[in-house]
């Protein structure tokens, strides 16, 4: 039942986005009808991902259309360096489930890039983690989730590298202590050298 509702909702989004894309000159009306039919026949459950993955619409054209659809500015997250401080305010699972990523904070306002900034529950869910006033930008869900995953992979890699560096430093300190000790204190006897 939920999957059917989601498909119907995405079919509505597909119609509205195709109308915007036609007005923007990205596709013709007949291409819009064909696109909606192809989407309905596909296994994809997100029309934006479908349009981009199939090469029907470029990312830049999609961001313009999404901005018009949601009536908020668009933001392309690809290649953007996100601040660690803002990301750590939210659990990774929440960011991925909601397809959001915190962009910046100015005073009491936090700007968040969301794939569905009109989600009725999103503000309340964000409010469980931060008490800022929220301003939305719209972005592409796949790119947002990829950015979150990339951040956490880099974080994990950095933590592993830091731990390895700490281990190496500890080994060096241990070696320095061993070098400074008397061989007899190390359990060596004269049979094996000094």
């Amino acid at each position: 039942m939920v999957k059917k509702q989601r498909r119907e909702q995405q079919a509505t989004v597909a119609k509205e986005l195709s109308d915007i894309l036609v007005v923007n000159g990205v596709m013709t009306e007949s291409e819009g009808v064909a696109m909606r039919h192809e989407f309905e026949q596909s296994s994809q459950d997100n029309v934006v991902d479908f349009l981009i993955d199939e090469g029907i619409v470029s990312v830049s054209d999609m961001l313009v259309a999404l901005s018009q659809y949601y009536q908020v500015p668009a933001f392309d997250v690809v290649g953007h360096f996100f601040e660690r401080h803002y990301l750590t305010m939210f659990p990774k699972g929440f960011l991925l489930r909601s397809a959001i990523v915190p962009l910046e904070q100015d005073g009491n306002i936090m700007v968040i890039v969301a794939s569905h900034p009109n989600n009725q529950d999103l503000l309340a869910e964000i409010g469980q983690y931060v008490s800022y006033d929220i301003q939305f930008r719209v972005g592409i869900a796949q790119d947002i989730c990829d950015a979150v995953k990339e951040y956490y992979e880099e974080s994990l890699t950095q933590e592993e590298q830091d731990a390895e560096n700490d281990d190496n430093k500890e080994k060096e300190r241990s070696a320095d202590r061993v070098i400074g000790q008397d061989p007899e204190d190390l359990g060596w006897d004269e049979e094996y050298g000094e």
Side-chain angles (χ1 to χ4, degrees), residues 89-192:
M89 291 178 174
F90 302 92
K92 176 184 176 184
F94 171 69
L95 294 174
L96 292 174
R97 269 190 316 279
S98 303
I100 65 169
V101 63
L103 179 61
E104 60 191 14
Q105 180 255 326
D106 184 16
N108 196 37
I109 297 172
M110 177 172 272
V111 178
I112 291 183
V113 182
S115 64
H116 300 287
N118 68 341
N119 177 342
Q120 301 291 328
D121 302 322
L122 193 52
L123 278 175
E125 291 170 358
I126 291 169
Q128 293 177 15
Y129 303 103
V130 296
S131 60
Y132 295 107
D133 291 332
I134 303 299
Q135 285 185 356
F136 286 113
R137 303 290 181 265
V138 66
I140 295 170
Q142 276 182 333
D143 294 342
I144 291 169
C145 291
D146 287 347
V148 169
K149 289 174 190 172
E150 182 181 313
Y151 164 77
Y152 277 95
E153 285 171 8
E154 284 178 6
S155 252
L156 203 57
T157 304
Q158 185 62 44
E159 286 174 15
E160 289 168 357
Q161 189 176 10
D162 291 347
E164 187 176 316
N165 289 342
D166 289 346
D167 287 347
N168 289 339
K169 286 178 185 173
E170 185 58 37
K171 286 176 186 174
E172 288 172 10
R173 282 190 216 111
S174 294
D176 289 345
R177 286 192 297 266
V178 169
I179 289 170
Q181 289 184 351
D182 188 319
E184 286 182 25
D185 293 341
L186 297 175
W188 296 349
D189 57 27
E190 292 190 17
E191 186 177 329
Y192 295 104

Side-chain angles (χ1 to χ4, degrees), residues 63 66-68 70-75 112-114 117 136-139:
L63 286 169
L66 288 171
S67 177
Q68 292 169 315
Y70 288 109
Q71 296 296 301
V72 298
F75 188 85
I112 291 183
V113 182
F136 286 113
R137 303 290 181 265
V138 66

